[in-house]
């Protein structure tokens, strides 16, 4: 089976969830290629053909896929305005910044869309849309669920993120200022096409706050940073977009870190009892301070619980549904 990914800005260093999907699909024998509207910031996956400077029709005609897979509802809407192959089944992966029930319904009305995969708490909002299918986030188990030779820095507080203004990254700097000089705060942020200036602002802020900011870390280095972290401090902006399922949280859980997340029902559904929740910067600073004081035995227990929770989000646990569906749709079936 051949699947053509339709993406907005491949490669993108912060989108490890796309890489996790492709890695699992290829393990299942799927031949994957990518069409991307623009060149993002990151590393292309070896062995995956990428179509650039092509009309999407040309990419389809050349690759001859059995199915198209689109990331983001907004990308699907954009594509369907000018691009349509009614003989090819299409699946769509929704995320968080793009999520809206009305948008999901509009995309579902395209006849060749077979399924829209949404995070479970979003899927419940759209259970009246027949093509909606709940699917959690998935991380690449091959990168994280391995015996670690990477020493954990228990005083290292880490955040990985796309360099977007809607990610609440300012809170990470604010917590650092409250904790300093205790702890080593490190942020890996990926440039986003069209908003590169925000990364410059983060780098400038790092000089004032003591946060080490790394820009566009290669995937291997980003994995090492997560796996070496003692504390993972996720941030989010409730006014920016609804809380989704940030893949960096699953990756941090798989690394056995103490994971701290801004409190909301969706976050608790995601992290369960393996994560810790805060409502304000002050509460986050208190939790970081408490985590820095943990003893070895307490850290081991927290790490075991975190790794156990992460098993729910391994790509080989989550994505069989996706690839099984693709096989069904490519064979002419429907959901």
């Amino acid at each position: 089976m051949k699947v053509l990914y339709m993406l907005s800005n491949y490669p993108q260093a912060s989108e490890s969830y796309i890489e996790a999907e492709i890695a699992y699909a290829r393990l299942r024998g799927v031949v994957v290629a990518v069409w991307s509207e623009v060149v993002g910031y990151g590393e292309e996956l070896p062995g995956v053909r990428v179509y650039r400077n092509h009309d999407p029709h040309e990419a389809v005609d050349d690759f001859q896929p059995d199915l198209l897979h689109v990331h983001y509802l907004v990308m699907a809407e954009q594509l369907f305005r000018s691009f349509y192959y009614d003989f090819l089944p299409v699946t769509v992966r929704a995320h968080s910044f793009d999520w809206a029930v009305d948008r999901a319904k509009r995309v579902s009305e395209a006849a060749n869309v077979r399924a829209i995969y949404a995070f479970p708490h979003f899927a419940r909002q759209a259970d009246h849309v027949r093509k909606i299918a709940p699917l959690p986030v998935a991380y690449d188990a091959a990168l994280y669920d391995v015996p670690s030779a990477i020493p954990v820095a228990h005083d290292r507080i880490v955040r990985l993120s796309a360099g977007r203004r809607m990610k609440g990254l300012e809170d990470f700097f604010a917590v650092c200022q409250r904790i300093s000089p205790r702890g080593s705060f490190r942020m890996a942020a990926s440039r986003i096409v069209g908003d590169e200036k925000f990364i410059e602002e983060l780098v400038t802020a790092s000089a004032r706050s003591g946060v080490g900011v790394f820009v566009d870390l290669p995937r291997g280095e980003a994995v090492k940073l997560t796996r070496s972290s003692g504390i993972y401090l996720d941030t989010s902006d409730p006014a920016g977009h609804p809380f989704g399922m940030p893949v960096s949280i699953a990756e941090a859980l798989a690394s056995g870190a103490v994971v701290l997340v801004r409190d909301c029902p969706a976050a608790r559904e995601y992290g369960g009892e393996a994560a810790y929740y805060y409502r304000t910067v002050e509460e986050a600073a208190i939790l970081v301070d408490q985590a820095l004081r943990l003893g070895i035995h307490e850290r081991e227990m927290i790490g075991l619980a975190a790794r156990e929770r992460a098993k729910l989000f391994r790509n080989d646990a989550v994505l069989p549904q996706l690839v099984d569906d693709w096989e069904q749709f490519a064979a002419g079936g429907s959901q």
Side-chain angles (χ1 to χ4, degrees):
M1 179 171 60
K2 297 168 71 176
V3 173
L4 181 62
Y5 271 66
M6 312 296 286
L7 304 177
S8 58
N9 58 337
Y10 177 85
Q12 180 57 46
S14 57
E15 295 179 351
S16 60
Y17 45 82
I18 291 178
E19 296 178 17
E21 267 190 16
I22 293 174
Y24 177 75
R26 294 176 76 189
L27 283 175
R28 288 279 299 268
V30 178
V31 179
V32 172
V34 171
W35 174 86
S36 182
E37 185 178 34
V38 300
V39 181
Y41 296 100
E43 303 167 292
E44 294 183 2
L45 291 169
V48 175
R49 182 168 185 178
V50 180
Y51 290 90
R52 300 202 183 284
N53 303 316
H54 286 75
D55 181 280
H57 296 88
E58 295 175 355
V60 169
D61 290 343
D62 182 72
F63 186 58
Q64 294 289 302
D66 300 295
L67 181 142
L68 306 178
H69 184 56
V70 185
H71 269 259
Y72 305 125
L73 290 167
V74 289
M75 185 64 180
E77 279 193 309
Q78 177 183 325
L79 278 172
F80 293 165
R81 282 194 286 268
S82 60
F83 168 78
Y84 191 69
Y85 268 77
D86 59 3
F87 62 87
L88 273 177
V90 176
T91 57
V92 181
R93 186 32 149 155
H95 290 267
S96 53
F97 80 91
D98 60 327
W99 177 253
V101 174
D102 289 348
R103 181 177 291 129
K105 188 174 187 303
R106 288 195 300 271
V107 171
S108 76
E109 289 168 352
N112 58 334
V113 169
R114 298 292 188 266
I116 298 171
Y117 299 97
F119 299 142
H121 59 288
F122 291 152
R124 290 195 297 271
Q125 298 173 9
D127 58 5
H128 59 289
V129 179
R130 183 176 59 84
K131 295 176 182 177
I132 291 288
L135 194 73
V137 75
Y139 71 92
D140 191 341
L143 298 179
Y144 291 93
D145 292 2
V146 294
S148 180
I150 301 171
V152 173
H154 294 305
D155 67 341
R156 180 175 295 168
I157 302 98
V158 168
R159 172 76 167 103
L160 275 71
S161 177
R164 291 188 182 274
R165 299 176 189 276
M166 61 179 70
K167 298 294 185 181
L169 299 180
E170 298 85 355
D171 290 349
F172 193 83
F173 293 92
V175 173
C176 177
Q177 290 176 327
R178 284 165 171 77
I179 292 295
S180 183
R182 301 188 63 223
S184 171
F185 284 74
R186 301 191 180 188
M187 175 185 292
S190 304
R191 286 177 292 171
I192 301 297
V193 174
D195 196 14
E196 290 88 348
K197 183 173 174 54
F198 184 55
I199 290 291
E200 297 175 14
E201 295 174 15
L202 293 177
V203 171
T204 299
S206 74
R208 297 193 306 266
S209 66
V211 174
V213 174
F214 304 91
V215 178
D216 297 336
L217 273 185
R219 174 66 56 229
E221 293 303 308
V223 170
K224 287 180 181 178
L225 180 60
T226 298
R227 289 179 59 194
S228 69
S229 61
I231 301 165
Y232 187 81
L233 174 58
D234 189 69
T235 61
S236 59
D237 180 1
H241 61 74
F243 184 90
M245 296 185 78
V247 69
S248 59
I249 291 177
E251 292 165 346
L253 289 169
S255 302
V258 180
V259 176
L260 314 179
V261 187
R262 179 176 283 277
D263 200 1
C264 69
R268 287 183 178 266
E269 182 176 333
Y270 185 12
E273 295 182 0
Y276 300 84
Y277 305 93
Y278 66 90
R279 289 165 294 181
T280 65
V281 166
E282 290 74 19
E283 288 185 2
I286 290 169
L287 287 175
V288 169
D289 183 66
Q290 291 173 344
L292 289 170
R293 299 175 189 275
L294 290 171
I296 294 176
H297 177 71
E298 291 170 301
R299 285 188 172 275
E300 287 177 350
M301 294 300 101
I302 290 171
L304 287 172
R307 292 187 179 94
E308 189 64 27
R309 184 71 179 181
K311 291 178 182 178
L312 297 174
F313 311 112
R314 292 169 55 103
N315 56 349
D316 55 7
V318 171
L319 298 178
Q321 174 187 341
L322 178 68
V323 177
D324 290 349
D325 285 353
W326 284 351
E327 291 173 347
Q328 176 186 343
F329 300 149
S334 60
Q335 193 175 51

